[in-house]
Amino acid sequence: MFNLLKSDIYRLVHGKMLWVAAIVLVALSVLAAGMMHWVSSPEFLRMTATSFEMTVNVSDGATGGAGVLGEGDAAAANASAEAAAAAGASGRGLSLDELDTLGAAEAAGSAESEEDSMRDDETASDSAFASSELWDLVADNPEALSDADFEGVSRDMRTLASPADMLGDMAVSGGALAMVVSLVTALFLAQDFSMRFARNLVMDRRGRVRYYGEKLVLVGFLAAFYLAVAALAGAASFAAAGFTYAAASPLGDLVLFLGLAWLLAFAYGCTTAVIVWATRSAGAGVAWALVVSSGIAGSLLGQVLLLLGRGVPWIGALEPWMLASCMQNVGNHASTLLATPAAAPLTMAPLAVQVLIVGGVAVALCAALTFGPLRKRDL
């Protein structure tokens, strides 16, 4: 097995596949840092603040679906909505039939309510007038905020929580790491069949176990290599873009995050290997990497499970136990994996335990398929 592993590593290192995928990860890191650097720059913030569509965007129902109103129209729409709501609340119960039924005492009470509603309308009108004055002041004077204000906002935006959170958001939760590992796994393993490399090996029962076991170990090396590339490229790119961290990740938390991220990437790589060995097709492995390992299929399936869970609760409870959900949770809670509770029935256990269980079960299942039915297939 060790000789096979050395041979495969030699082929990878002296080929293009390993390095092209690494360049892609580095490019994604640089692109992410560059985009965040631009959107957090004082120039972009000022341009956004002075944009008419951004300063007069109305998010309540008074827009009637238009979404954007002029300054005077926005104030009038807000005042009209408040007046209509007040009138609807106070006008009910003043019809002739209701007055005859309720009697003079209740009519007097309704009259008092109507007076209270009129006072509320006046108060709402005064509030709407004051709000419209403030609205007009901001819209007509985009220079009210100084350069120091924009620089302060930019400085806050460029202060990230921790290095683990940066890497989790950039490479793990988005599925880039798992997709790259799966792509290289699919292309490299399929070469053994397209180039007839596997037929030159001794493929008795013991030889097959060594062959498939070495390939799974190789997938683990690929996951570790690309995780290191993503971590180093992300740290260098964000440092060059001027980003800092509010707190340094404790060594234990960082090691735990990297370990779980590696486990999930390794699990996705193992599923891709199973697809390639089952189909003997590089295309099937690449399609699996692009659709499943990227998290697209998992996200759609998770939404379906949550939707079905409204009627059958146990179906919705399956969603947190998907590989895609675990990958998303590890990226989103990179620095709090031990503090964030897992999904039921491990409510009292941390999220790290749940991810460890899901990743371990996925790898074990792939290994069982590999050394079971797939090992017996004709090469």
Side-chain angles (χ1 to χ4, degrees):
M1 179 185 293
F2 183 70
N3 290 333
L4 283 176
L5 183 61
K6 287 197 305 181
S7 174
D8 284 343
I9 292 177
Y10 180 87
R11 291 163 57 198
L12 279 170
V13 171
H14 289 81
K16 298 179 181 179
M17 187 188 309
L18 182 74
W19 307 112
V20 169
I23 292 173
V24 170
L25 267 182
V26 173
L28 290 176
S29 302
V30 173
L31 179 62
M35 289 295 296
M36 290 187 64
H37 174 77
W38 166 239
V39 299
S40 62
S41 64
E43 295 79 9
F44 181 85
L45 295 174
R46 179 173 289 282
M47 180 181 65
T48 303
T50 56
S51 174
F52 178 80
E53 289 80 8
M54 297 299 290
T55 54
V56 301
N57 187 21
V58 179
S59 59
D60 56 18
T63 60
V68 176
L69 299 177
E71 300 131 4
D73 294 338
N78 290 334
S80 298
E82 293 172 354
S90 63
R92 192 176 301 146
L94 295 180
S95 63
L96 292 177
D97 294 338
E98 289 175 339
L99 287 175
D100 292 337
T101 304
L102 296 176
E106 292 184 1
S110 298
E112 292 178 358
S113 299
E114 191 172 10
E115 292 177 359
D116 293 339
S117 298
M118 292 177 64
R119 286 193 296 268
D120 293 341
D121 291 343
E122 292 176 358
T123 303
S125 299
D126 294 340
S127 177
F129 180 73
S131 299
S132 65
E133 282 188 335
L134 181 60
W135 187 291
D136 294 339
L137 177 63
V138 174
D140 294 338
N141 187 17
E143 302 297 329
L145 295 177
S146 64
D147 292 338
D149 295 325
F150 287 108
E151 290 175 358
V153 174
S154 175
R155 190 163 47 252
D156 292 339
M157 293 179 66
R158 292 180 181 178
T159 303
L160 306 178
S162 68
D165 288 295
M166 177 274 296
L167 182 60
D169 293 334
M170 182 195 67
V172 178
S173 61
L177 175 64
M179 184 180 66
V180 169
V181 172
S182 296
L183 278 174
V184 176
T185 298
L187 294 174
F188 186 76
L189 296 187
Q191 283 184 352
D192 284 2
F193 304 104
S194 62
M195 299 176 63
R196 301 182 182 275
F197 176 78
R199 294 190 178 184
N200 298 326
L201 302 175
V202 178
M203 282 301 176
D204 55 7
R205 183 180 182 277
R206 186 175 179 182
R208 287 171 179 260
V209 171
R210 286 199 302 263
Y211 173 79
Y212 287 110
E214 179 270 332
K215 297 302 181 186
L216 292 181
V217 173
L218 181 66
V219 173
F221 274 103
L222 288 175
F225 173 75
Y226 287 119
L227 178 61
V229 170
L232 295 176
S237 299
F238 279 84
F243 287 86
T244 58
Y245 302 101
S249 298
L251 181 60
D253 293 345
L254 186 59
V255 170
L256 176 64
F257 163 71
L258 293 175
L260 293 179
W262 172 85
L263 176 62
L264 293 175
F266 176 49
Y268 272 113
C270 289
T271 60
T272 306
V274 168
I275 295 298
V276 173
W277 289 329
T279 62
R280 299 291 195 268
S281 170
V286 170
W288 181 270
L290 296 177
V291 177
V292 178
S293 298
S294 63
I296 297 176
S299 178
L300 295 177
L301 179 59
Q303 294 300 319
V304 172
L305 292 178
L306 291 176
L307 183 62
L308 295 177
R310 297 179 179 178
V312 185
W314 69 266
I315 296 181
L318 297 177
E319 190 271 340
W321 297 91
M322 298 169 52
L323 269 178
S325 300
C326 289
M327 184 72 80
Q328 188 73 28
N329 288 333
V330 167
N332 293 339
H333 305 282
S335 59
T336 57
L337 291 171
L338 292 176
T340 304
L346 297 177
T347 306
M348 301 305 295
L351 177 61
V353 175
Q354 180 185 13
V355 176
L356 186 63
I357 292 175
V358 174
V361 169
V363 172
L365 181 59
C366 291
L369 292 174
T370 299
F371 296 112
L374 294 178
R375 179 181 59 84
K376 301 176 182 179
R377 289 201 59 185
D378 184 16
L379 294 175

